[in-house]
Protein backbone atom coordinates (compact mmCIF):
# COMPACT_ATOMS: atom_id res chain seq x y z
CA UNK A 1 0.00 0.00 0.00
CA UNK A 2 1.26 3.45 -0.91
CA UNK A 3 1.76 5.89 1.99
CA UNK A 4 0.10 8.52 -0.20
CA UNK A 5 -3.31 6.95 0.40
CA UNK A 6 -2.83 7.26 4.13
CA UNK A 7 -1.68 10.86 3.79
CA UNK A 8 -4.75 11.62 1.67
CA UNK A 9 -6.99 10.44 4.53
CA UNK A 10 -5.05 12.52 7.03
CA UNK A 11 -5.27 15.55 4.73
CA UNK A 12 -9.05 15.20 4.51
CA UNK A 13 -9.29 14.97 8.32
CA UNK A 14 -7.18 18.11 8.81
CA UNK A 15 -9.55 20.39 6.88
CA UNK A 16 -12.45 20.36 9.38
CA UNK A 17 -10.03 20.57 12.31
CA UNK A 18 -8.32 23.66 10.90
CA UNK A 19 -11.70 25.20 10.09
CA UNK A 20 -12.85 24.65 13.69
CA UNK A 21 -9.70 26.34 14.98
CA UNK A 22 -10.26 29.38 12.75
CA UNK A 23 -13.93 29.68 13.72
CA UNK A 24 -13.09 29.27 17.42
CA UNK A 25 -10.47 32.02 17.23
CA UNK A 26 -12.88 34.33 15.39
CA UNK A 27 -15.50 33.79 18.11
CA UNK A 28 -13.01 35.08 20.69
CA UNK A 29 -13.24 38.50 19.03
CA UNK A 30 -16.96 38.65 19.89
CA UNK A 31 -17.32 37.71 23.59
CA UNK A 32 -20.93 36.92 24.49
CA UNK A 33 -21.81 37.54 20.83
CA UNK A 34 -21.20 41.28 21.18
CA UNK A 35 -18.96 43.56 19.13
CA UNK A 36 -16.53 45.17 21.57
CA UNK A 37 -13.76 47.72 21.35
CA UNK A 38 -10.32 46.18 20.73
CA UNK A 39 -9.04 47.23 24.17
CA UNK A 40 -11.86 45.20 25.80
CA UNK A 41 -10.78 41.93 24.15
CA UNK A 42 -8.19 39.77 25.86
CA UNK A 43 -4.64 40.43 24.68
CA UNK A 44 -3.75 36.86 23.75
CA UNK A 45 -6.42 36.78 21.02
CA UNK A 46 -4.29 39.20 18.98
CA UNK A 47 -1.62 36.52 18.52
CA UNK A 48 -4.03 34.84 16.02
CA UNK A 49 -3.20 31.39 17.39
CA UNK A 50 -6.30 29.74 15.92
CA UNK A 51 -6.29 31.58 12.61
CA UNK A 52 -2.58 31.40 11.87
CA UNK A 53 -1.24 28.58 14.05
CA UNK A 54 -3.90 25.89 13.91
CA UNK A 55 -5.65 27.25 10.83
CA UNK A 56 -3.51 28.39 7.92
CA UNK A 57 -0.39 26.50 8.99
CA UNK A 58 -2.47 23.30 9.11
CA UNK A 59 -4.23 23.95 5.78
CA UNK A 60 -0.84 23.93 4.00
CA UNK A 61 0.08 20.33 4.93
CA UNK A 62 -3.53 19.23 4.38
CA UNK A 63 -3.43 20.45 0.77
CA UNK A 64 -0.02 18.85 0.26
CA UNK A 65 -1.18 15.55 1.73
CA UNK A 66 -4.21 15.51 -0.55
CA UNK A 67 -1.90 16.00 -3.52
CA UNK A 68 0.31 13.16 -2.36
CA UNK A 69 -2.57 10.73 -2.68
CA UNK A 70 -2.50 10.77 -6.50
CA UNK A 71 -1.29 8.09 -8.88
CA UNK A 72 2.40 7.15 -8.74
CA UNK A 73 2.70 9.06 -5.50
CA UNK A 74 5.54 6.90 -4.19
CA UNK A 75 7.78 7.66 -7.15
CA UNK A 76 7.69 11.41 -6.49
CA UNK A 77 10.49 11.99 -3.98
CA UNK A 78 10.25 15.77 -4.15
CA UNK A 79 6.52 15.63 -3.39
CA UNK A 80 7.08 13.35 -0.43
CA UNK A 81 9.84 15.63 0.90
CA UNK A 82 7.54 18.65 0.59
CA UNK A 83 4.81 16.69 2.33
CA UNK A 84 7.11 16.01 5.28
CA UNK A 85 8.28 19.64 5.42
CA UNK A 86 4.70 20.93 5.38
CA UNK A 87 3.77 18.40 8.05
CA UNK A 88 6.52 19.82 10.28
CA UNK A 89 5.19 23.32 9.55
CA UNK A 90 1.67 22.21 10.51
CA UNK A 91 2.94 20.61 13.72
CA UNK A 92 4.76 23.85 14.59
CA UNK A 93 1.51 25.76 14.04
CA UNK A 94 -0.34 23.36 16.31
CA UNK A 95 2.27 23.73 19.05
CA UNK A 96 2.08 27.53 18.72
CA UNK A 97 -1.70 27.37 19.11
CA UNK A 98 -1.42 25.12 22.19
CA UNK A 99 1.11 27.43 23.86
CA UNK A 100 -0.97 30.57 23.36
CA UNK A 101 -4.16 28.75 24.40
CA UNK A 102 -2.46 27.48 27.57
CA UNK A 103 -1.32 30.99 28.42
CA UNK A 104 -4.91 32.14 27.95
CA UNK A 105 -6.20 29.51 30.37
CA UNK A 106 -3.56 30.40 32.94
CA UNK A 107 -4.10 34.17 32.78
CA UNK A 108 -7.89 34.00 32.59
CA UNK A 109 -10.32 36.34 30.90
CA UNK A 110 -10.29 40.11 30.69
CA UNK A 111 -13.10 41.24 32.99
CA UNK A 112 -15.06 44.41 33.62
CA UNK A 113 -14.89 44.85 37.40
CA UNK A 114 -17.17 47.90 37.36
CA UNK A 115 -16.89 51.50 36.22
CA UNK A 116 -15.52 50.35 32.85
CA UNK A 117 -12.29 49.11 34.48
CA UNK A 118 -10.94 46.02 32.72
CA UNK A 119 -8.41 43.72 34.35
CA UNK A 120 -7.24 40.10 34.54
CA UNK A 121 -8.17 39.03 38.09
CA UNK A 122 -6.61 35.56 37.66
CA UNK A 123 -3.33 36.69 36.11
CA UNK A 124 -0.19 36.29 38.19
CA UNK A 125 1.76 39.43 37.33
CA UNK A 126 5.12 38.18 38.61
CA UNK A 127 6.95 34.92 39.07
CA UNK A 128 7.64 35.69 42.74
CA UNK A 129 6.48 32.80 44.84
CA UNK A 130 6.51 30.38 41.93
CA UNK A 131 8.49 27.26 42.82
CA UNK A 132 9.21 26.67 39.12
CA UNK A 133 11.53 29.67 39.04
CA UNK A 134 13.41 28.87 42.24
CA UNK A 135 11.25 30.93 44.59
CA UNK A 136 9.39 29.73 47.65
CA UNK A 137 6.27 27.64 47.22
CA UNK A 138 3.37 29.17 45.33
CA UNK A 139 0.85 30.96 47.53
CA UNK A 140 -2.59 30.67 45.98
CA UNK A 141 -2.12 32.54 42.71
CA UNK A 142 -4.79 30.41 41.07
CA UNK A 143 -7.51 32.26 42.97
CA UNK A 144 -8.40 35.80 42.00
CA UNK A 145 -7.49 38.82 44.07
CA UNK A 146 -10.37 39.25 46.53
CA UNK A 147 -10.24 43.04 46.22
CA UNK A 148 -10.88 42.77 42.47
CA UNK A 149 -13.59 40.11 42.27
CA UNK A 150 -17.14 41.33 42.82
CA UNK A 151 -20.64 40.00 42.07
CA UNK A 152 -21.02 42.70 39.38
CA UNK A 153 -18.07 41.39 37.38
CA UNK A 154 -18.60 40.61 33.70
CA UNK A 155 -18.58 37.84 32.49
CA UNK A 156 -20.85 36.61 35.25
CA UNK A 157 -19.55 32.99 35.34
CA UNK A 158 -15.91 34.03 35.71
CA UNK A 159 -15.05 32.19 38.93
CA UNK A 160 -16.70 28.91 37.90
CA UNK A 161 -15.11 28.94 34.44
CA UNK A 162 -11.55 29.65 35.55
CA UNK A 163 -11.46 27.64 38.77
CA UNK A 164 -12.55 24.47 37.00
CA UNK A 165 -9.31 24.59 34.95
CA UNK A 166 -7.03 25.09 37.95
Amino acid sequence: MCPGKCSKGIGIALFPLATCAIVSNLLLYFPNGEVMEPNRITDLVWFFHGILGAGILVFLPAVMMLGAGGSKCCANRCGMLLSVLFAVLGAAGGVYCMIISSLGLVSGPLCDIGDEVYTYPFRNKTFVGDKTFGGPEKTGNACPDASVVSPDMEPAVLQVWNLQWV
Side-chain angles (χ1 to χ4, degrees), residues 88-113:
V88 169
L89 185 67
V95 168
Y96 171 72
C97 182
M98 287 179 52
I99 289 170
I100 300 298
S101 297
S102 298
L103 289 173
L105 284 174
V106 167
S107 67
L110 181 64
C111 299
D112 180 7
I113 58 170

Side-chain angles (χ1 to χ4, degrees), residues 15 32 48 54 60 97 102 127 155:
F15 276 110
N32 294 330
F48 303 108
L60 295 174
C97 182
S102 298
F127 291 118

Side-chain angles (χ1 to χ4, degrees), residues 33-53:
E34 302 169 4
V35 177
M36 300 187 122
E37 296 175 25
N39 62 346
R40 293 183 179 178
I41 297 174
T42 183
D43 56 357
L44 292 171
V45 172
W46 301 105
F47 286 100
F48 303 108
H49 58 287
I51 296 170
L52 178 65

Side-chain angles (χ1 to χ4, degrees), residues 66-160:
L66 281 177
S71 63
K72 298 183 182 178
C73 62
C74 295
N76 186 355
R77 291 182 185 176
C78 181
M80 293 306 279
L81 175 65
L82 284 176
S83 181
V84 169
L85 293 177
F86 279 126
V88 169
L89 185 67
V95 168
Y96 171 72
C97 182
M98 287 179 52
I99 289 170
I100 300 298
S101 297
S102 298
L103 289 173
L105 284 174
V106 167
S107 67
L110 181 64
C111 299
D112 180 7
I113 58 170
D115 298 330
E116 298 295 314
V117 176
Y118 284 82
T119 186
Y120 295 91
F122 286 89
R123 186 174 279 181
N124 181 8
K125 303 219 184 315
T126 66
F127 291 118
V128 176
D130 191 345
K131 196 170 186 143
T132 308
F133 293 95
E137 190 160 336
K138 205 171 182 179
T139 58
N141 288 328
C143 296
D145 183 4
S147 64
V148 176
V149 176
S150 71
D152 303 342
M153 187 181 297
E154 292 292 328
V157 293
L158 165 74
Q159 290 89 356
V160 175

Side-chain angles (χ1 to χ4, degrees), residues 1 3-18 58-59 61-67 69 83 87:
M1 180 172 129
K5 291 182 182 182
C6 179
S7 70
K8 185 175 182 178
I10 293 172
I12 290 171
L14 287 177
F15 276 110
L17 294 174
V58 171
F59 274 132
V63 169
M64 189 64 197
M65 288 179 184
L66 281 177
S83 181

